[in-house]
Amino acid sequence: MRIDVVTLFPDFMRQCAAVGVVGRAQQRELLQVEAWNPRDYATDNYRTVDGRTCGGGPGMVMLIEPLRAALKVMREAAPEPVHVIYLSPQGARLTQGRVEALAKLPRIALLCGRYEGVDERLLAHEVDEELSIGDYVLSGGELGAAVIIDAVGRLQDGALNDAQSAEQDSFSNGLLDCPHYARPVHDALGDVPEVLLSGDHAAIRRWRLKQSLGRTWLRRPDLLAQRALDAESRALLDEFRREYAREEQAQRPSRQNDAVNDDRNH
Ligand code: 4HQ
């Protein structure tokens, strides 16, 4: 897969794509990341890429011309049509589902805005999809582009080792990940749960699924509401909730203790 990034900070984007799993995917030629600087396509002596916003007020807007020229050269260097994505808080929220679909495309381009963003007319004519990485404001689209490159790059066939296999990730089954432990088994910080040392692979799979379901229920109930659970998952989540209620009750001071504390306080 090839990813083209249109950005005022091409070196930063190249460096982002050079590390870790994604960097290795590039070395293995599973992924190619190229950056294009709209400033290189500005035609005036100052190499201007931004202008005052029409209607007045503070802030600058990225000009149509340098971006259109950069996108034109980028598209002409591609044998196939390119799916162009603009990063902005106004876009649809990026999800693992969308990441998985993008990872199957032969070629995408990521358009990174700075300042107040990009002239709306360029977006209307050159952009296929607008995506947001979350409900907060960044100073530019580059970190959003880096997020997409990382999430999409690691899904390229052969990018992950067996041990990192993508099927085990959070969200790949719509649930949060289970807890993970390594040696030592006993530590001042606590013990590794016994079932993980049992060698009973069926029991370990059930424990992990139950932890995933339980943590999703506790931390991201919105994710659970989005999917129908099968009978096994329903039973495991029920178990988790019963155990959780019991532990919560054990930790809550009893009414009797409240009375004792009242005596102390008065
Ligand atoms: N920005 N998800 C404003 C973002 C953003 C986000 C990028 C800031 C575009 C013009 N991008 N510029 N959130 O906050 O992707």
Side-chain angles (χ1 to χ4, degrees), residues 86-89 113-117 131-141 144:
Y86 177 59
L87 282 304
S88 99
R114 283 271 150 178
Y115 321 112
E116 303 313 303
L131 287 175
S132 166
I133 62 161
D135 294 338
Y136 37 77
V137 182
L138 303 169
S139 54

Side-chain angles (χ1 to χ4, degrees), residues 193-257:
E194 227 162 277
V195 60
L196 297 179
L197 310 166
S198 67
D200 181 343
H201 296 298
I204 291 169
R205 187 195 66 80
R206 273 195 309 277
W207 181 88
R208 286 180 171 155
L209 177 55
K210 179 170 157 184
Q211 295 301 315
S212 280
L213 288 159
R215 285 178 8 146
T216 308
W217 171 67
L218 284 172
R219 301 181 190 190
R220 291 294 306 276
D222 57 309
L223 293 178
L224 275 188
Q226 286 173 29
R227 61 191 51 242
L229 299 180
D230 62 18
E232 183 194 30
S233 291
R234 280 200 306 275
L236 287 171
L237 179 55
D238 265 5
E239 253 177 57
F240 184 99
R241 292 168 66 161
R242 277 197 298 276
E243 288 165 15
Y244 182 80
R246 214 178 333 106
E247 280 162 32
E248 218 183 28
Q249 198 164 36
Q251 271 163 35
R252 207 168 28 233
S254 68
R255 281 219 144 272
Q256 206 176 337
N257 284 338

Side-chain angles (χ1 to χ4, degrees), residues 2-266:
R2 167 148 170 173
I3 303 179
D4 291 287
V5 189
V6 177
T7 171
L8 291 171
F9 300 95
D11 290 333
F12 172 67
M13 291 311 305
R14 287 185 198 106
Q15 283 167 19
C16 280
V19 301
V21 166
V22 169
R24 202 157 358 97
Q26 285 207 83
Q27 283 168 2
R28 292 176 183 167
E29 298 188 4
L30 309 171
L31 180 72
Q32 188 187 357
V33 177
E34 297 294 338
W36 307 80
N37 190 345
R39 205 174 288 284
D40 295 340
Y41 300 89
T43 50
D44 65 323
N45 288 334
Y46 303 100
R47 303 213 294 162
T48 308
V49 292
D50 59 335
R52 311 282 295 274
T53 120
C54 292
M60 302 295 272
V61 175
M62 287 184 82
L63 299 176
I64 292 177
E65 257 330 307
L67 288 175
R68 179 162 54 195
L71 284 165
K72 182 165 184 276
V73 174
M74 182 276 293
R75 285 188 202 275
E76 281 168 2
E80 64 262 283
V82 183
H83 183 76
V84 179
I85 297 167
Y86 177 59
L87 282 304
S88 99
Q90 285 74 49
R93 275 290 286 278
L94 184 67
T95 62
Q96 187 62 18
R98 194 67 202 116
V99 165
E100 284 165 13
L102 293 176
K104 295 189 175 108
L105 300 178
R107 189 150 180 156
I108 63 173
L110 304 171
L111 175 56
C112 304
R114 283 271 150 178
Y115 321 112
E116 303 313 303
V118 170
D119 189 304
E120 191 66 24
R121 294 166 293 177
L122 182 110
L123 299 181
H125 282 88
E126 298 275 4
V127 169
D128 299 298
E129 180 176 21
E130 198 163 332
L131 287 175
S132 166
I133 62 161
D135 294 338
Y136 37 77
V137 182
L138 303 169
S139 54
E142 284 77 10
L143 287 174
V147 164
I148 293 181
I149 292 168
D150 190 275
V152 161
R154 65 189 290 284
L155 291 184
Q156 299 305 303
D157 251 342
L160 295 178
N161 306 323
D162 282 348
Q164 307 167 314
S165 139
E167 280 91 75
Q168 293 182 26
D169 291 336
S170 312
F171 300 117
S172 65
N173 59 0
L175 299 174
L176 300 185
D177 206 357
C178 63
H180 300 285
Y181 300 88
R183 293 188 171 278
V185 166
H186 301 291
D187 186 273
L189 298 184
D191 299 338
V192 173
E194 227 162 277
V195 60
L196 297 179
L197 310 166
S198 67
D200 181 343
H201 296 298
I204 291 169
R205 187 195 66 80
R206 273 195 309 277
W207 181 88
R208 286 180 171 155
L209 177 55
K210 179 170 157 184
Q211 295 301 315
S212 280
L213 288 159
R215 285 178 8 146
T216 308
W217 171 67
L218 284 172
R219 301 181 190 190
R220 291 294 306 276
D222 57 309
L223 293 178
L224 275 188
Q226 286 173 29
R227 61 191 51 242
L229 299 180
D230 62 18
E232 183 194 30
S233 291
R234 280 200 306 275
L236 287 171
L237 179 55
D238 265 5
E239 253 177 57
F240 184 99
R241 292 168 66 161
R242 277 197 298 276
E243 288 165 15
Y244 182 80
R246 214 178 333 106
E247 280 162 32
E248 218 183 28
Q249 198 164 36
Q251 271 163 35
R252 207 168 28 233
S254 68
R255 281 219 144 272
Q256 206 176 337
N257 284 338
D258 286 353
V260 169
N261 288 330
D262 279 348
D263 285 349
R264 282 208 193 99
N265 291 337
H266 295 111

